[in-house]
């Protein structure tokens, strides 16, 4: 019987993008790596982090560490989102729509990584504007953040109407 001492994390980590970057110095080229990581607990919390380091494993650790520190809570209605959301952030335009149970995640790579890490099981989305994965990931995070803010505004607006 083997004793497995590895720590089992409650978070799921997804690497969206690995970029090799280089800088010209007088001693030659200095090469490093930039990693875009998405971290989520599949229960409504998700974060994104960009880490850079001379080797890929250190860059992944930095990106995941940053993502865990900057997580947002996503409001959910069953297995989907409460209402439709459109966000434009830079050149990225993202449309997120709620879907009926059993639909699944209909999304492109960047959006899919974020919504699956958040634990959303039924959603329809469309990426417009840019093919830059980093921009699309940040726009998706912003859309999910605004879902929470606008949901609170809608609730307070309903309560003021009732009185």
């Amino acid at each position: 019987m083997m004793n497995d001492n590895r720590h089992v994390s409650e978070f799921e980590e997804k690497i969206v993008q690995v970029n090799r970057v280089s800088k010209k110095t007088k001693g030659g080229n200095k090469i490093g790596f930039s990693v875009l990581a998405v971290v989520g607990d599949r229960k409504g919390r998700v974060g994104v982090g960009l880490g850079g380091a001379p080797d890929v494993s250190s860059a992944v650790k930095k990106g995941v560490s940053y993502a865990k520190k900057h997580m947002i809570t996503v409001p959910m209605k069953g297995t989907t989102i409460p209402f439709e959301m459109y966000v434009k952030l830079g050149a990225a335009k993202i449309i997120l729509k709620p879907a009926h149970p059993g639909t699944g995640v209909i999304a492109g790579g960047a959006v899919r990584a974020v919504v699956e890490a958040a634990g959303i099981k039924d959603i329809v989305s469309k990426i417009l504007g840019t093919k830059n994965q980093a921009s699309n990931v940040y726009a998706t995070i912003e859309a999910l953040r605004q879902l929470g803010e606008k949901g609170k505004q809608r609730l307070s607006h309903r309560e003021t109407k009732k009185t």
Side-chain angles (χ1 to χ4, degrees):
M1 190 168 120
M2 271 182 58
N3 194 2
D4 194 10
N5 290 333
R6 280 183 277 167
H7 176 66
V8 180
S9 177
E10 63 175 308
F11 297 111
E12 178 186 320
E13 303 166 3
K14 287 188 182 181
I15 306 305
V16 177
Q17 187 177 36
V18 178
N19 272 344
R20 196 185 90 171
V21 294
S22 63
K23 178 184 179 183
K24 202 69 133 164
T25 63
K26 70 177 183 182
N29 289 342
K30 186 177 181 185
I31 294 173
F33 293 90
S34 171
V35 173
L36 184 66
V38 174
V39 175
D41 64 357
R42 287 190 170 265
K43 295 175 191 161
R45 290 177 58 215
V46 68
V48 64
L50 189 64
D55 60 296
V56 177
S57 63
S58 298
V60 168
K61 283 180 188 169
K62 282 184 182 179
V64 167
S65 168
Y66 186 86
K68 284 181 181 176
K69 290 176 188 166
H70 297 85
M71 293 188 92
I72 63 165
T73 304
V74 179
M76 288 171 55
K77 185 179 176 184
T79 58
T80 188
I81 56 177
F83 49 88
E84 186 175 328
M85 195 75 217
Y86 171 82
V87 166
K88 183 178 186 311
L89 185 74
K93 297 173 195 154
I94 304 287
I95 300 172
L96 300 175
K97 292 182 180 179
H100 294 289
T103 305
V105 177
I106 299 171
V111 176
R112 178 179 293 268
V114 176
V115 293
E116 282 182 349
I120 299 170
K121 292 180 178 62
D122 301 303
I123 192 166
V124 177
S125 75
K126 183 67 183 160
I127 299 172
L128 305 165
T130 183
K131 289 179 172 34
N132 183 331
Q133 286 190 316
S135 293
N136 290 331
V137 165
Y138 286 120
T140 306
I141 287 284
E142 184 57 31
L144 295 175
R145 181 181 290 123
Q146 285 183 20
L147 266 177
E149 292 169 5
K150 290 204 170 140
K152 288 174 188 167
Q153 287 175 357
R154 284 185 176 192
L155 281 175
S156 65
H157 183 68
R158 276 190 199 158
E159 288 169 5
T160 55
K161 268 189 169 179
K162 286 180 184 175
T163 56

